[in-house]
Amino acid sequence: MNKKIYIETYGCQMNVADSETVISIMKTKDFIPESNIENTDIVILNTCSVRDNAEQKIWNRLDFLKGLKKRKKGLKVGIIGCMAQRIGNELLEHEAVDFVAGPDSYRYLPDLVNETDIELKTYKTDFDTTETYSGIEPLKNEGEISGFIPITRGCNNFCSYCIVPYTRGRERSRSIHDILNEVKILKENNYKEITLLGQNVNSYSYDDNGKIYNFPDLIKSVAEEAPEIRVRFTTSHPKDISDDLIYVIAGTKNICNHIHLPVQSGSNKVLELMNRKYTREWYLERIETIKRVIPGCGLSSDIFCGFSGETEEDFQQTLDLMEKVRYDSAFMFKYSVRPGTFAAKNLADDVPENIKVERLSKMIDLQNKISKKKNKEEIGKTLEVLVEGHSKRSKEMLFGRTEHNKVVVFPKKDAKKGDFVMVKITEAGSATLKGEIVS
Ligand code: SAH
Ligand code: SF4
Ligand code: F3S
């Protein structure tokens, strides 16, 4: 009998894309995707290690799964993703865990699962610097309109606080032909939006028999291959975002005018300790160029407070930078030491927890204020929105996103998921816009 497999995904969009790769691999070996955890034969958790609380969530989930296994004899549980790579051995010791596979080992998953019937526990976390999952067909979900396409895997930047280079291994770029082929498949399946993914998309570089394709070349090819599809990308490292790319975005209609450009900190001293390889001045110049070449470009960021040595003055520099840039939105965190990183080994975690909490809440308050103000500036404008589905609050309302990545909620009229509609904005809060469809 074919076994049913249920996956839960934590962490970043790369993990979301990887879970699809995993399902695709498992399907070729006759496993059947299952969406109800109570009905499945195999549970897989695709995990994240970026902050301690991300890992804590998994340990808690494993305690729940230990209980579920008592009720459901024969249920197998596997851990994949970044936590599997970082502490696979420790995870295997947990009563609930049967198999572990790191991000470069997903082709072996069907075997690892089958072997749990013979061996007690199975394990594979070798890095394979050539693995890009070439030849694995992307999973097309019925009725889905938005898809992710990884273009690079791994990271070589070694920001001093970050675990990703250790969990994902060295950076490698996927073949432009594989990527364009996936674009074609998504296009044929009526997708309306594609997001190109990488820890640092700007370092994409693919050598096709002597012809080198960089990120601006790639995104232009993707946009041309699918002129009716919205193209997005994430993440850009500020040190590598080129004028070339900014001009390609400005000059290509279906590349969304939105750039996620994580700054992390506004203080030069802290940026240097973080090994980010740019200064506050460099960053602000990049933002100025973006604003000049792409008027109205949506801007978002990742920022965290409480890194080693961050003084009140350093923190004020971060707030000051946030006010100068005026992001539309930002993901904000407090520093969490990751064992094995340069910072964990060499830099003291010396900002007290209560100060981290205080600074984080100040950042969030400021960003909410900025977002709200910027969103209010949209009132009265008519914006193109890609409908993503029903609003959580009401079946009569739809929600979607503008090209600047702002969420808009509006009465549905005749529109449905996957439609592009013109919406006149009538109200704005810090997180969403409200409006009415106009013809
Ligand atoms: N490759 C992307 C994002 C990687 S992780 C980039 O370079 O921007 C996503 C975000 O998590 C980071 O941008 C950073 O803001 C945050 N982050 C990473 N490590 C962290 C840590 N140890 N503590 C707190 N936040 C962290
Ligand atoms: Fe981590 Fe830096 Fe790589 Fe982003 S660029 S994944 S923050 S090491
Ligand atoms: Fe987390 Fe790994 Fe992504 S650590 S943020 S799932 S690359």
Side-chain angles (χ1 to χ4, degrees):
M1 213 182 62
N2 294 341
K3 288 183 181 155
K4 288 181 280 190
I5 173 169
Y6 165 94
I7 298 201
E8 243 168 47
T9 307
Y10 298 81
C12 64
Q13 291 159 332
M14 193 60 87
N15 264 8
V16 176
D18 277 359
S19 287
E20 295 188 356
T21 301
V22 165
I23 292 175
S24 194
I25 290 169
M26 299 305 278
K27 274 170 100 177
T28 63
K29 296 288 158 107
D30 298 326
F31 289 85
I32 304 164
E34 167 60 53
S35 56
N36 183 347
I37 195 167
E38 294 289 333
N39 292 338
T40 192
D41 302 305
I42 298 148
V43 173
I44 292 183
L45 307 184
N46 192 0
T47 59
C48 173
S49 289
V50 79
R51 282 169 292 276
D52 184 60
N53 57 6
E55 294 197 344
Q56 225 45 59
K57 255 190 234 164
I58 299 300
W59 289 116
N60 294 338
R61 197 65 179 146
L62 281 176
D63 290 338
F64 162 80
L65 288 170
K66 191 170 104 184
L68 187 66
K69 284 178 89 166
K70 289 211 175 96
R71 283 192 280 125
K72 294 189 46 134
K73 292 278 169 274
L75 179 73
K76 302 281 180 181
V77 172
I79 308 290
I80 65 172
C82 290
M83 213 176 150
Q85 190 66 45
R86 194 178 87 75
I87 45 168
N89 277 318
E90 211 178 302
L91 285 161
L92 269 191
E93 280 168 24
H94 193 284
E95 220 180 300
V97 178
D98 297 289
F99 61 96
V100 161
D104 285 348
S105 304
Y106 298 153
R107 287 181 197 269
Y108 302 93
L109 264 175
D111 292 340
L112 289 173
V113 174
N114 288 331
E115 283 164 11
T116 58
D117 291 337
I118 320 161
E119 297 177 44
L120 279 163
K121 296 195 180 207
T122 56
Y123 182 85
K124 189 160 170 59
T125 56
D126 309 313
F127 278 128
D128 175 351
T129 54
T130 61
E131 181 60 275
T132 58
Y133 296 105
S134 181
I136 310 276
E137 281 249 330
L139 192 75
K140 295 142 316 236
N141 287 323
E142 200 57 44
E144 206 37 79
I145 57 153
S146 184
F148 294 124
I149 303 183
I151 63 164
T152 64
R153 294 183 70 81
C155 182
N156 288 350
N157 285 317
F158 289 94
C159 302
S160 63
Y161 51 83
C162 183
I163 197 69
V164 173
Y166 304 90
T167 61
R168 293 271 163 177
R170 292 297 57 73
E171 184 183 276
R172 62 219 91 142
S173 293
R174 297 182 68 204
S175 140
I176 188 168
H177 306 294
D178 283 357
I179 295 165
L180 290 175
N181 189 41
E182 290 191 12
V183 172
K184 221 176 267 169
I185 293 172
L186 294 182
K187 184 168 79 175
E188 284 160 11
N189 283 274
N190 285 320
Y191 275 62
K192 300 290 163 61
E193 183 177 71
I194 288 171
T195 305
L196 305 178
L197 291 182
Q199 297 302 340
N200 177 12
V201 290
N202 303 102
S203 60
Y204 180 84
S205 175
Y206 182 71
D207 181 344
D208 190 26
N209 292 318
K211 168 137 181 53
I212 309 281
Y213 290 93
N214 61 20
F215 185 59
D217 300 330
L218 174 76
I219 195 166
K220 211 157 54 184
S221 307
V222 167
E224 278 164 10
E225 176 65 43
E228 309 297 322
I229 292 184
R230 271 187 182 181
V231 179
R232 299 185 182 278
F233 59 95
T234 194
T235 299
S236 286
H237 194 301
K239 76 179 164 62
D240 293 323
I241 186 159
S242 63
D243 286 355
D244 256 10
L245 178 67
I246 298 170
Y247 281 100
V248 166
I249 299 168
T252 315
K253 191 168 167 282
N254 58 323
I255 300 178
C256 289
N257 287 354
H258 168 237
I259 301 179
H260 182 62
L261 199 64
V263 70
Q264 313 300 2
S265 167
S267 148
N268 280 337
K269 183 191 92 194
V270 174
L271 286 171
E272 182 157 2
L273 288 172
M274 287 177 168
N275 193 31
R276 288 291 285 182
K277 304 188 183 91
Y278 55 83
T279 60
R280 165 192 179 86
E281 292 73 27
W282 163 275
Y283 185 89
L284 287 170
E285 186 285 323
R286 292 287 74 194
I287 293 287
E288 281 316 306
T289 303
I290 292 168
K291 287 180 175 170
R292 179 167 46 78
V293 180
I294 315 171
C297 187
L299 287 168
S300 57
S301 197
D302 297 345
I303 314 170
F304 69 98
C305 62
F307 189 58
S308 182
E310 185 189 74
T311 61
E312 189 52 37
E313 204 184 326
D314 295 317
F315 177 63
Q316 290 302 325
Q317 294 258 302
T318 297
L319 297 181
D320 179 73
L321 181 137
M322 291 168 70
E323 296 203 67
K324 287 207 161 75
V325 177
R326 297 184 82 228
Y327 296 110
D328 296 283
S329 65
F331 297 107
M332 291 163 283
F333 314 102
K334 56 190 168 68
Y335 176 47
S336 161
V337 181
R338 307 317 295 132
T341 58
F342 180 89
K345 290 188 223 155
N346 302 289
L347 304 169
D349 182 17
D350 54 4
V351 177
E353 181 62 19
N354 63 322
I355 304 280
K356 285 184 185 173
V357 171
E358 210 175 277
R359 288 182 186 167
L360 177 60
S361 97
K362 278 186 191 157
M363 274 185 347
I364 293 174
D365 285 349
L366 173 61
Q367 185 52 48
N368 281 344
K369 242 188 260 159
I370 296 170
S371 298
K372 196 167 179 177
K373 247 191 180 159
K374 281 197 87 173
N375 284 345
K376 293 242 183 270
E377 292 165 15
E378 303 293 321
I379 294 176
K381 290 186 193 166
T382 299
L383 306 172
E384 187 187 68
V385 174
L386 171 58
V387 182
E388 291 180 34
H390 285 282
S391 119
K392 262 177 245 150
R393 298 228 182 106
S394 156
K395 274 260 175 250
E396 293 310 303
M397 305 289 275
L398 294 172
F399 83 100
R401 249 168 251 265
T402 67
E403 73 163 320
H404 299 131
N405 212 32
K406 290 186 190 279
V407 174
V408 187
V409 179
F410 48 93
K412 73 176 180 195
K413 288 197 177 162
D414 299 328
K416 57 181 188 319
K417 183 171 175 177
D419 289 348
F420 287 101
V421 291
M422 299 306 293
V423 177
K424 182 160 186 187
I425 306 304
T426 54
E427 279 177 63
S430 63
T432 44
L433 304 173
K434 284 187 186 154
E436 300 271 350
I437 296 181
V438 292
S439 46

